[in-house]
């Protein structure tokens, strides 16, 4: 019998350790039997033969695979729950929730975003905005929510809670800062757009259907995310606030990014009009 190796303390890792180790034990048991039958020694050829015998056992890895598959389902369930209950995450998604399948956008065949985009979307946000800023803003939003916890006003309407919260001025300003920081990364617009499309597709948790995040999806998504940034740039007082927070050079970069995005949106509209003809 193979010497016992202490498994990791984490239960998730321990289950996979045990499942994989069971397979190794079967291999070791086969080698031991071979050695007993040949005077305590075993040749390289016999080792290869034992391996081939295991390879022919179709159900050898079933237990290990079932363990892994069950835990992947658990992780996915927990991840979806985290998205539902994470205030900042829900507020960020609220900017493009209408584009998700099952909402106003309809189904995937008609251009809606797959709900599986949430995981790669948050990865993009983390990479572009940074965890320090996200954690800081998350804490500020949590404080705002707590301030309204006992109030009987529209902010506590259980039906429209998140829509109301997203439009609350203090919250909206913080979300706008997040998306402004994100937009600054599109200074080299075409290169960054292509990078984002590739990153999202590479990180999609594909299910039974392989949905692809296209350039059209990307343009529509960016337009929704940067809606308030564009609005702020068009108003002198709000534009001045952005200058105070980001600096005049960065605000000029934001204007250039919005202009590039607007050209993409115009091209998209022309394409749609041609398809209608």
């Amino acid at each position: 019998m193979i010497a016992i190796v202490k498994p990791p303390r984490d239960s998730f890792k321990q289950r996979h350790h045990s499942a994989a180790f069971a397979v190794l034990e079967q291999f070791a048991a086969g080698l031991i039997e071979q050695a007993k039958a040949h005077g305590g020694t075993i040749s390289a050829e016999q080792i290869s033969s034992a391996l081939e015998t295991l390879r022919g056992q179709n159900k050898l890895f079933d237990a290990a695979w079932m363990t892994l598959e069950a835990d992947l389902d658990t992780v996915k369930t927990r991840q979806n729950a985290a998205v539902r209950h994470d205030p900042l995450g829900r507020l960020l998604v609220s900017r493009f929730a209408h584009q998700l399948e099952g909402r106003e956008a309809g189904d995937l065949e008609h251009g809606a975003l797959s709900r599986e985009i949430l995981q790669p979307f948050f990865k993009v946000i983390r990479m572009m905005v940074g965890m320090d800023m996200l954690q800081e803003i998350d804490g500020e939003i949590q404080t705002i929510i707590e301030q309204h916890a006992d109030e009987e006003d529209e902010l506590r309407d259980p039906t429209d809670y998140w829509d109301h919260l997203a439009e609350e001025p203090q919250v909206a300003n913080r979300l706008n800062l997040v998306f402004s920081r994100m937009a600054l990364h599109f200074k080299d617009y075409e290169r960054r757009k292509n990078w984002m499309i590739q990153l999202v597709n590479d990180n999609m948790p594909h299910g039974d259907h392989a949905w692809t995040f296209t350039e059209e999806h990307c343009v529509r998504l960016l337009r929704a995310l940067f809606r308030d940034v564009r609005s702020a740039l068009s108003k002198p007082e709000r534009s001045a606030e952005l200058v105070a927070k980001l600096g005049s050079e960065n605000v000029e970069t934001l204007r250039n990014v919005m202009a590039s995005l607007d050209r993409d949106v115009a091209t998209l509209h022309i394409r749609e009009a041609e398809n209608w003809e």
Side-chain angles (χ1 to χ4, degrees), residues 20 111 189 200 231 242:
Y189 179 78
V200 169
S231 176
L242 283 177

Side-chain angles (χ1 to χ4, degrees), residues 82-95 97 103 138 141-142 145 154-168 171 175:
V83 170
R84 288 196 298 271
H85 298 293
D86 170 37
L88 179 57
R90 289 196 61 161
L91 288 166
L92 294 174
V93 172
S94 72
R95 287 293 184 257
R103 300 284 293 256
D138 181 55
I141 289 177
Q142 291 280 4
I145 292 174
E154 61 185 7
L155 196 56
R156 302 305 302 172
D157 184 330
T159 302
D160 301 316
Y161 176 79
W162 293 104
D163 289 338
H164 285 304
L165 184 61
E167 299 304 325
E168 202 277 335
V171 173
L175 294 181

